Amino acid sequence: MAFGDLLEQVGGTGRFQILHVFLLCVPVLMMASHNLLQNFVASVPPHFCSAHTNLSQTQLSPEEMLLVTVPLDQNGKPHRCQRYVAPQWHLLAKNGTSGSGAGGDTQDGLDAHLQGCTDGWSYNMTAMSSTIISDWHLVCDLRPLKQMGQTVYMGGVLVGALVFGGLADRYGRRMLLIISNLLMAVSGTCAAFSTSFTFFCLSRFGCGMALSGLGLNTFSLIVEWIPTRVRTVVGTITGYCYTVGQLLLAVIAYYIRDWRWLTLAVSLPFYVFFLIAWWFHESSRWLALSNKPEQAIKNLKSVAKFNGRSDEGDKIDIKMLHESMKKEMSCTQGSYSVLDLFRTPVMRTMTVCLSAVWLSTSFAYYGLAMDLQKFGVDIYLIQVIFGAVDIPAKVVITVSMSFIGRRPSQCGALIIAGITILINLLVPNDKQTVRTCMAVMGKGCLAASFNCCYLYSGELYPTIIRQNGMGWVSMMARVGAMVAPMVLLMGDYQPWIPGLIYGGAPILSGVAGMFLPETLGSPLPDTIQDVEERGTGRNSKKPPKEAIILQDTEANLLKQAA
């Protein structure tokens, strides 16, 4: 008897599992909102330098004040970061003819020296009532702070992946999930009421940490309480929750145009999720491997009672549990850490290749998904399109993984995504529709790659250090997500540089992924020895009758954990 048989004995797909998975999936909707919140709270409104103080006493219209105050940039639009030192009254006599802002001289030769926005900025807030950009004037010289805000958030996700991944293996999935829900609620609330950009960044750092804790532990509790035969279906449903969450964010942001209320709206539900999380049962598989067999049996009997199979639950005792997990429990006498991911040859090669896959997937994904304004399309519409493309992408990648295999699916998704992004560099800027379509296709491939990442990594790493392994690769994904916003700043020097980097990274990692072993139809490894034997062509386990499929949710992106 294996542990999966014990799950079947207490009701593998009973009422408990249905309610358990449903309650774990609901927070995934809001995780997507936090992950992509920066697109709306840090949206850059059209802006230009405020008029000179003495102009406020005049009877000029706003258009006339703008004309005599702000020069035009090289694209013929009001300059965002410069104004005339003195009002250019002669421009009114020219019936709206203005000089060249770049040259600093008007067309009739009058000297028109320029200066910065010493009296602040005026913002066109027709799309949103307020953003962190307009509240704290993160424009012109302070423009890089917008990208820094997202980098700090992803830094929190990185630290959370490292911290919560290890703590979950030591202290359990349930308690860390409870803490993560509370941390997300409190940090999100603090971010909404931030009085400075610094405090906002610190609060968002906490949200990032919470996102990792939620993603990793939601993944584990779902996988470890359901039987193998329904993991694919459950994993696919859970993954689509993240997709729906992206669409939900667009709807919420459309009706809530103030960044503070929007942040609060996507944070308050986590107080409810915090209370619900106390109902969850700790993973009996983890309890057994952590030398807590009595509590493992108690939870199994509780599940059996909830499923109406109390008689079957009463038959389970310590002897039966030990027999079902004899090999796994014998291999957990020592302690394991992140270092064990690199100690043996096969584990080392596998971890390095997976690190490259996760880093580049996240790097390119957030490079596209976190700069929606550049496409020149309504930001709410493009958010819906970017979210909706995940639906067919996940269907295609799920079919591909089931019939072609994990490795070709993973590598193919990355390489196609990279090629699509590179092709977009050749499309003229004035063809916004074509550029948007290409970007959507690339984003869909990267979303498919993310979906494959969780499944593939979960099947490659052994049970005894799976959380450490998932924590490590998730951390590498956050490194990519942290770097992605900063690469956008390189576009100020050469517009094509970000696209070249975003497209080249997935192609290189797709090649690296070819060195990973195939797991389609292979049994789930429990020990490092299982992994080494698989890597050398030996197999210490007999394959099950059905293919072992460990499907994960995209929400862990973040887990993404995401």
Side-chain angles (χ1 to χ4, degrees), residues 104-213:
D105 294 320
T106 60
Q107 288 182 343
D108 60 0
L110 293 177
D111 187 18
H113 294 292
L114 303 179
Q115 64 179 182
C117 301
T118 56
D119 292 326
W121 291 264
S122 295
Y123 299 93
N124 182 351
M125 302 305 297
T126 55
M128 294 185 178
S129 60
S130 72
T131 68
I132 64 171
I133 306 299
S134 61
D135 279 9
W136 294 314
H137 304 298
L138 305 182
V139 294
C140 298
D141 291 341
L142 297 181
R143 189 169 61 89
L145 292 182
K146 172 192 173 181
Q147 310 299 347
M148 183 181 293
Q150 182 66 10
T151 297
V152 169
Y153 169 77
M154 287 301 175
V157 181
L158 185 153
V159 173
L162 186 62
V163 172
F164 286 112
L167 291 179
D169 279 337
R170 179 172 297 184
Y171 299 107
R173 288 76 161 110
R174 174 178 172 270
M175 185 51 63
L176 268 297
L177 185 65
I178 292 172
I179 294 173
S180 297
N181 275 300
L182 181 60
L183 178 60
M184 180 67 85
V186 173
S187 297
T189 303
C190 290
F193 291 100
S194 298
T195 55
S196 68
F197 180 67
T198 301
F199 188 68
F200 173 80
C201 286
L202 289 175
S203 300
R204 288 287 288 164
F205 184 88
C207 291
M209 288 190 64
L211 187 93
S212 280

Side-chain angles (χ1 to χ4, degrees), residues 471-484:
W472 172 264
V473 293
S474 181
M475 183 188 72
M476 296 306 298
R478 303 319 152 197
V479 170
M482 286 177 63
V483 176

